[in-house]
Amino acid sequence: MTWMIIRLILSLAFIAVVLLFAARVAKKRGLGQGNGLIEVVARQRMGRTSTVNVVRVGDVVLVVGATEEQVTLLAEIDAETVEEALRERQAPVRLGATEHAPAGGSATLAARTTSGALAGSVFDRNGWGSLVHQLRERTVRRP
């Protein structure tokens, strides 16, 4: 019985030494830590194996599409536009009723207008807002 406890303690000590050695080697090689040069600003899944990533490399901001097989550069966008979009995302979003109510009497949400580099792209809030509005209109049951 005593021999089993000694073997257990020695085995655990050996495993701890191996883990400490592996951590030291990883730290020397720089594994598991970033150097701050590359930063993933945003990530959006588009499917089971595909994503769209906004990556900042130094002063350059890139929109990259990634699948299991390849990575594709989709666009290069202005850094100030990304900073502005991040500030808008952190600010509380207030959606109010528009001044003109539709004939059905229900109020619609006011969409913000987008201008600049993101206008007409996947990141355009106005485009997504109008898509959601159209889908809601098609799915509403009317007497």
Side-chain angles (χ1 to χ4, degrees):
M1 180 76 171
T2 307
W3 176 244
M4 286 178 60
I5 294 175
I6 293 172
R7 276 182 44 193
L8 177 67
I9 292 172
L10 289 174
S11 298
L12 289 174
F14 176 74
I15 291 171
V17 168
V18 168
L19 287 175
L20 287 173
F21 178 73
R24 178 183 260 175
V25 169
K27 189 175 182 180
K28 277 185 179 179
R29 292 188 180 193
L31 299 176
Q33 60 185 359
N35 58 4
L37 180 65
I38 300 174
E39 175 188 3
V40 178
V41 177
R43 177 177 292 144
Q44 177 66 46
R45 286 182 60 114
M46 301 308 276
R48 191 170 55 125
T49 61
S50 60
T51 59
V52 174
N53 304 308
V54 179
V55 181
R56 180 179 309 163
V57 182
D59 294 335
V60 179
V61 180
L62 305 171
V63 179
V64 179
T67 63
E68 287 182 352
E69 293 84 23
Q70 66 183 10
V71 176
T72 306
L73 176 64
L74 300 176
E76 182 175 335
I77 56 179
D78 189 29
E80 289 84 24
T81 306
V82 173
E83 293 297 328
E84 181 180 322
L86 288 175
R87 273 184 268 139
E88 284 181 10
R89 191 167 107 187
Q90 291 173 354
V93 177
R94 293 184 212 143
L95 295 175
T98 59
E99 294 177 10
H100 308 290
S106 64
T108 59
L109 298 177
R112 289 185 274 177
T113 58
T114 305
S115 61
L118 296 180
S121 71
V122 175
F123 300 111
D124 184 11
R125 288 180 184 246
N126 193 21
W128 286 110
S130 65
L131 174 71
V132 170
H133 178 69
Q134 289 174 2
L135 289 174
R136 282 183 186 152
E137 288 296 316
R138 288 185 181 192
T139 59
V140 172
R141 292 185 184 169
R142 293 193 172 90

